[in-house]
Amino acid sequence: MRLKNARRTTLFATLGLAAALTLTACGGGDDDTSGDTPSGAPSSSASAGATETGASDSGSSGGSDAGATATGSATGTGAGAGSDGKTSICRTDELEVNAADNTTDKKEGVVTVQLKNAGGRDCSINGYAGVDLKAADGSTLSVERNGEPVHPAVLKNGDSAAFNITFPYNNSGGSGVRLTDILVTPPNETKYVRVAWPAGTLPVTDGSSSGKLQIGPATRVG
């Protein structure tokens, strides 16, 4: 999966719809309870359902590649400059997160996750989000990075970044693995947001399939 060429065009073209269905992260945790316990409703539309937040474990926390530094202006009222003059990171509680199904063929599925800065200040985003997928049977599927280079950026209030989750399309004819939720931990954060999985099922596989669950880096859009 790449956020360039045809897929990047798909991502940009659908963000207008996704923004209209944007969901604001709210307090909470697994099983609708509050606290810092790390977590482990499907939707037939292109948008995710209600969100909740919680603390991620180390395996699903977002991260960035060392040495990359966000650049941009962060001055004036609402600016997010830290004591060193650099723009501070986008915090989970400042981001509105939603997910949309952008699958265009029956070989590889694509879900686009949008992170909109709603914190009232400039903030920086840099690297890969942490992503876990929750299945209807209670299991958790981790999603690996696709290795594409990161592009640090500053998001002004109202700006968005996005990344794609690519997954093998279920052509088996069977019911497959039904996913229910996406646990998204923004880059360099430890607190996740839960949004509903908006796409179809995954094929049941013994690992021999070439299809992979992968994510790309968060990239500024618009």
Side-chain angles (χ1 to χ4, degrees), residues 12-197:
F12 291 170
T14 57
L15 279 178
L17 174 60
L21 300 170
T22 297
L23 306 171
T24 304
C26 58
D30 286 354
D31 301 323
D32 297 325
T33 59
S34 60
D36 293 334
T37 303
S39 140
S43 170
S44 58
S45 69
S47 66
T51 63
E52 66 179 57
T53 61
S56 297
D57 58 23
S58 58
S60 60
S61 61
S64 64
D65 289 355
T69 303
T71 60
S73 173
T75 59
T77 304
S83 58
D84 59 358
K86 296 180 180 179
T87 306
S88 57
I89 67 171
C90 298
R91 296 294 182 182
T92 302
D93 291 338
E94 298 175 319
L95 296 172
E96 295 176 355
V97 182
N98 67 64
D101 183 6
N102 286 331
T103 301
T104 58
D105 59 49
K106 294 186 177 181
K107 294 181 179 180
E108 182 180 70
V110 179
V111 166
T112 300
V113 178
Q114 182 185 23
L115 310 172
K116 180 179 179 180
N117 179 13
R121 66 175 184 91
D122 295 355
C123 65
S124 66
I125 196 153
N126 176 20
Y128 286 77
V131 172
D132 287 330
L133 304 179
K134 299 294 288 186
D137 63 4
S139 62
T140 301
L141 305 177
S142 294
V143 185
E144 66 182 42
R145 301 176 181 184
N146 65 10
E148 291 181 0
V150 302
H151 299 284
V154 169
L155 301 182
K156 294 185 178 297
N157 187 51
D159 288 349
S160 295
F163 62 89
N164 282 341
I165 304 172
T166 56
F167 59 95
Y169 192 90
N170 183 13
N171 290 310
S172 67
S175 58
V177 178
R178 186 169 67 87
L179 300 177
T180 58
D181 301 288
I182 313 171
L183 273 56
V184 180
T185 307
N188 301 298
E189 263 284 44
T190 58
K191 188 176 183 180
Y192 69 80
V193 176
R194 181 194 296 259
V195 295
W197 174 256

Side-chain angles (χ1 to χ4, degrees), residues 196-216:
W197 174 256
T201 61
L202 306 184
V204 177
T205 177
D206 58 5
S208 60
S209 171
S210 60
K212 293 182 178 180
L213 280 169
Q214 290 188 324
I215 61 169

